Amino acid sequence: MNFTKEQLRLYLVTDRRYLEGRNLIDVVMQSIEGGVTMVQLREKDITAREFIELAHALKTKLSLYNKNHSLHIPLIINDRIDIALAVDADGVHIGQSDMPYEEARRLLGYDKIVGLSVENLSDVIEANAVDVDYIGISPVFATPTKTDTALPFGLDGLRSAVNISIHPTVAIGGINISNAHEVMQAGADGIAVVSAILASTNPTEATKQLLIKRS
Amino acid sequence: MNFTKEQLRLYLVTDRRYLEGRNLIDVVMQSIEGGVTMVQLREKDITAREFIELAHALKTKLSLYNKNHSLHIPLIINDRIDIALAVDADGVHIGQSDMPYEEARRLLGYDKIVGLSVENLSDVIEANAVDVDYIGISPVFATPTKTDTALPFGLDGLRSAVNISIHPTVAIGGINISNAHEVMQAGADGIAVVSAILASTNPTEATKQLLIKRS
């Protein structure tokens, strides 16, 4: 598995609720044209069959794009290790309520990326004891995307988490064009966004602007 | 995998909504004391972590029971192949909206049981083309347990499905003590129930009565 922390630069996490009728794969590919470096399919309220069809279709488009541009933008599946295995995705992202890390790693092996959400500093310390590929520090700010999230880290908490972690880090939760710069200043290797790209009427441009601001 | 159609005789499918505060594992073990021959954990609205913990705990109890009684009551996981793999369950049960059969089989291999729900005769014919271990004919009658089910087969439809199928069959949906006998007369190898056992204040006795009626 050739994962590097540079792939965390701008990480798009999906949520079809922001699409207002647009096709998810189209919007993801538009964001990739803008420079997204990693994609996570996080779809709830969807059957396994729909999830697999979506993941298959995105993987096909993404593989072609990667090949044509000599890139490696990984496709990550949220929570469902079986779906990641079925479509041969690049990895999974698991949260504290998902399958325990050790079991996910055992099922996926070391050729796949396994990312783990941490919700507080104690989770960061626990993550240091295992060989996750990256941690998602979540949420940095209060966010409307997820309703089940823990208290926000804030910028100070993010800085502490980054300092404590031995793993590459991506910050997520309420990150947009107005705060991307200060999040990066706090030391994260990258930012993950949902609505900042998906809710934009121009995902390519929104992505480009985020990349400018974050640098 | 030493699955036989006799294991389908009386198949318990779980749904915590019927428990009214009782512990799921206690109720399942009470039904096993009564003679349940196969158990499927079908739990929605639960995190993967909770599902795994539940499955681990049930597997431990069930393995001990099987050992002490020289039985092999299989533990089947609904939908989530990853959870079945994580806990080394005996197999999975998948529906028409879950992972396609071929992918599930590829992930699980032939040492595991894979059961498939069929919702109409055309599904039965399609299932004949693959090597599923059994089919769940669903629903036989209208049922309050699942809200997303197809039109009921009825007894005539069940009879047709059983006649067409080359696989062992278990009938599910609205089966209880008052209709268990006629369902078995229609030719199914077994019956699967949810509320007929789980909603009973005496799951052991409810199971025994179902076994008497079905024979």
Side-chain angles (χ1 to χ4, degrees), chain B residues 109-137:
Chain B
Y110 284 92
D111 286 343
K112 299 295 183 186
I113 299 165
V114 183
L116 177 67
S117 286
V118 295
E119 296 178 352
N120 50 56
L121 296 182
S122 141
D123 288 347
V124 179
I125 293 163
E126 283 183 28
N128 278 349
V130 293
D131 51 4
V132 297
D133 292 297
Y134 71 88
I135 59 169
I137 300 170

Side-chain angles (χ1 to χ4, degrees), chain B residues 37-57:
Chain B
T37 55
M38 192 153 168
V39 178
Q40 179 187 141
L41 274 180
R42 182 174 73 192
E43 295 297 333
K44 308 292 183 184
D45 305 319
I46 187 173
T47 67
R49 186 155 306 192
E50 290 167 328
F51 202 160
I52 285 177
E53 285 168 3
L54 193 60
H56 264 309

Side-chain angles (χ1 to χ4, degrees), chain B residues 125-153:
Chain B
I125 293 163
E126 283 183 28
N128 278 349
V130 293
D131 51 4
V132 297
D133 292 297
Y134 71 88
I135 59 169
I137 300 170
S138 167
V140 177
F141 304 114
T143 161
T145 302
K146 288 183 79 178
T147 51
D148 59 345
T149 45
L151 283 177
F153 277 83

Side-chain angles (χ1 to χ4, degrees), chain A residues 73-110:
Chain A
I73 300 163
L75 173 62
I76 302 295
I77 303 293
N78 184 275
D79 178 20
R80 297 231 16 183
I81 286 93
D82 48 358
I83 290 176
L85 289 168
V87 305
D88 193 26
D90 297 290
V92 299
H93 185 89
I94 51 179
Q96 296 288 325
S97 303
D98 297 332
M99 187 178 289
Y101 169 75
E102 290 81 358
E103 309 216 43
R105 177 62 80 191
R106 186 170 57 80
L107 295 181
L108 284 163
Y110 283 93

